[in-house]
Amino acid sequence: QVQLVESGGGLVQAGGSLTLSCAVSRITFAIYASGWYRQAPGQQRELVASIFSGGATNYADSVKGRFTISRGNAQNTVYLQMNNLKSEDTAVYYCHADHTGGGRLWGQGTQVTVSS
C-alpha cells in the first residue's frame, strides 16, 4: 500500500521557520505532481503550494515569497520550507501526490501552530 508520511510540524513563534516533509513509499506509478494543502479550524481547505515533474511550482498568494516547495533528488520526498511564519499559517497541513495511475494520494496531516 502506498504511504505518504508527513513530519516536521509543531509549534513555532511568529517569524520563525519550519520545514515539512512528506515521504512517499511503496509507489508503483510515477508521481507527476505533488503539493501541500492546509486547513484551519472552521476554514476551507486551501492549496498552499504545488510542484510538477518538470520542476515548475505554484504558490498561494498568501505564502508567496515565504514558502518554498521542493523535492528530494530521488523524488520520493516533497518538502515545504516555511519561513517568516505568521499566525494565519496555523493549520493542519496535508501533502498529496498525483500519480500516473490516475490517483491522488494524501498524507495523514501534520499540525503547524504559529504563536504570536
Side-chain angles (χ1 to χ4, degrees):
Q1 187 75 25
V2 176
Q3 285 189 297
L4 277 69
V5 179
E6 302 180 28
S7 61
L11 296 169
V12 65
Q13 293 188 50
S17 299
L18 285 174
T19 299
L20 305 183
S21 298
C22 179
V24 183
S25 64
R26 303 180 66 84
I27 56 173
T28 57
F29 299 99
I31 297 170
Y32 66 86
S34 301
W36 294 88
Y37 285 78
R38 68 186 182 188
Q39 187 167 20
Q43 301 296 116
Q44 296 293 314
R45 183 187 66 179
E46 65 173 339
L47 179 64
V48 177
S50 300
I51 187 167
F52 302 91
S53 60
T57 57
N58 289 329
Y59 296 95
D61 288 342
S62 60
V63 308
K64 197 171 298 181
R66 300 188 297 118
F67 290 12
T68 302
I69 188 170
S70 62
R71 297 181 301 188
N73 290 334
Q75 299 187 6
N76 64 340
T77 306
V78 62
Y79 304 95
L80 186 68
Q81 175 66 48
M82 305 184 293
N83 297 324
N84 192 23
L85 283 160
K86 305 174 180 180
S87 60
E88 67 199 57
D89 297 317
T90 295
V92 178
Y93 285 70
Y94 299 90
C95 66
H96 74 86
D98 300 342
H99 61 81
T100 54
R104 170 167 285 186
L105 307 172
W106 291 95
Q108 82 280 8
T110 186
Q111 177 72 47
V112 172
T113 302
V114 183
S115 61
S116 300

